[in-house]
Amino acid sequence: ISGLFSISAVQAQAPASVLDAIQSAGTLRICTTGDYKPFTNAVGDGFEGIDIEMAKSLAKAIGVEPKFVRTKWAELMADFTGGKCDIAMGGIGVTLERQKRVFYSDPALRTGKIPLVRCADKDRFQSVADIDKPGVTAIANPGGTNERFAKSNFKQAKVTLHQDNVGIFDEILAGRADVFVTEAIEATVQQKLKPGLCAINPDKPLTFIEIGYLLPRGDVIFKAFVDQWLHIAKATGEYQRYYEQYLR
């Protein structure tokens, strides 16, 4: 009997979690940028992509409805830590700087950054050294790991920031920029969507990156639930189905 009382006491003292608040509200709020195929893409009044499907899956697993909250890469951390959403999803790279302020889920995907260039220049830009030369213009979207990579690695090449991530690809095709270094999966998708663009060595990325989901710092209960759901989604092939669906 004393053992039962001990268990009850521990359960009564269990800390509150965002998971409890989500269930009470009946809604899972997901921050997403909507500009990063194949993970998140704004279409009309909604979104589509690998992580959009995963967000719907997570909401279903919790037993609530998903609600997507549009954000920008430069505002992602402020919106998330400011309480605008319960989780952030959409091809978000794991960084130690972000880790100081949030929890991450277990990795959903391992990838790395590669150059995306005009196909006419594919032999010209095979490495960081090839890109980092006077007269070369590297382009990046502000606020994320692409900007951080460009500014950290390119000292002689010109680095320009383009506010609209979706418009970067046309900037390269038009010759206003030469190189966009981004995740291999995005580069691979865009070379299919934008004839004239070529992804450089997608099987040999320049960096190691893991993609995960932003979770509230310190909430081990919610993190444990998300990690277990993600583990099951990957083990059953659910994640792979979405991956293949949006990489076609």
Side-chain angles (χ1 to χ4, degrees):
I1 296 177
S2 60
L4 292 176
F5 278 123
S6 297
I7 293 172
S8 298
V10 169
Q11 290 175 336
Q13 295 171 10
S17 167
V18 167
L19 181 59
D20 302 320
I22 292 167
Q23 293 179 91
S24 296
T27 303
L28 174 68
R29 301 172 302 157
I30 308 109
C31 277
T32 195
T33 61
D35 64 354
Y36 193 13
K37 291 182 178 180
F39 299 103
T40 173
N41 181 42
V43 180
D45 295 330
F47 298 88
E48 65 178 17
I50 296 169
D51 282 342
I52 301 304
E53 298 299 332
M54 289 296 284
K56 295 175 182 177
S57 171
L58 176 59
K60 182 178 180 181
I62 298 173
V64 298
E65 293 296 317
K67 178 182 179 181
F68 294 98
V69 179
R70 186 77 181 265
T71 186
K72 298 178 180 179
W73 288 106
E75 300 167 5
L76 173 63
M77 289 298 290
D79 284 349
F80 182 72
T81 58
K84 288 189 176 181
C85 45
D86 307 305
I87 188 171
M89 306 174 71
I92 302 170
V94 177
T95 71
L96 293 178
E97 281 303 307
R98 288 173 178 156
Q99 185 78 61
K100 293 175 183 177
R101 302 175 60 192
V102 300
F103 269 6
Y104 273 99
S105 69
D106 286 345
L109 181 72
R110 288 180 173 85
T111 181
K113 293 192 181 297
I114 64 170
L116 182 68
V117 305
R118 290 181 294 277
C119 291
D121 292 331
K122 63 181 180 180
D123 294 328
R124 179 184 170 197
F125 298 122
Q126 290 285 311
S127 66
V128 170
D130 290 341
I131 299 168
D132 192 23
K133 293 180 178 179
V136 176
T137 299
I139 192 169
N141 53 303
T145 57
N146 291 336
E147 177 187 4
R148 187 175 298 111
F149 180 92
K151 290 185 173 179
S152 298
N153 290 277
F154 305 141
K155 305 303 180 184
Q156 299 182 76
K158 178 182 178 182
V159 176
T160 63
L161 298 181
H162 195 71
Q163 296 297 322
D164 178 14
N165 190 43
V166 176
I168 283 177
F169 314 106
D170 289 331
E171 291 294 298
I172 298 174
L173 286 171
R176 290 185 288 270
D178 300 305
V179 182
F180 177 40
V181 178
T182 186
E183 269 68 52
I185 186 172
E186 180 182 37
T188 301
V189 167
Q190 290 299 329
Q191 77 172 353
K192 295 178 182 178
L193 296 175
K194 299 283 187 178
L197 292 182
C198 281
I200 305 300
N201 302 323
D203 296 329
K204 298 178 181 179
L206 303 173
T207 63
F208 167 78
I209 293 176
E210 292 181 321
I211 301 296
Y213 307 135
L214 298 190
L215 302 169
R217 181 181 178 187
D219 195 333
V220 296
I221 296 172
F222 189 33
K223 174 173 166 53
F225 184 91
V226 171
D227 286 346
Q228 186 61 55
W229 156 80
L230 179 58
H231 168 72
I232 293 170
K234 293 175 75 173
T236 59
E238 180 182 11
Y239 185 88
Q240 187 65 25
R241 287 198 302 274
Y242 301 145
Y243 183 94
E244 292 173 356
Q245 175 184 346
Y246 286 98
L247 243 68
R248 284 203 298 266

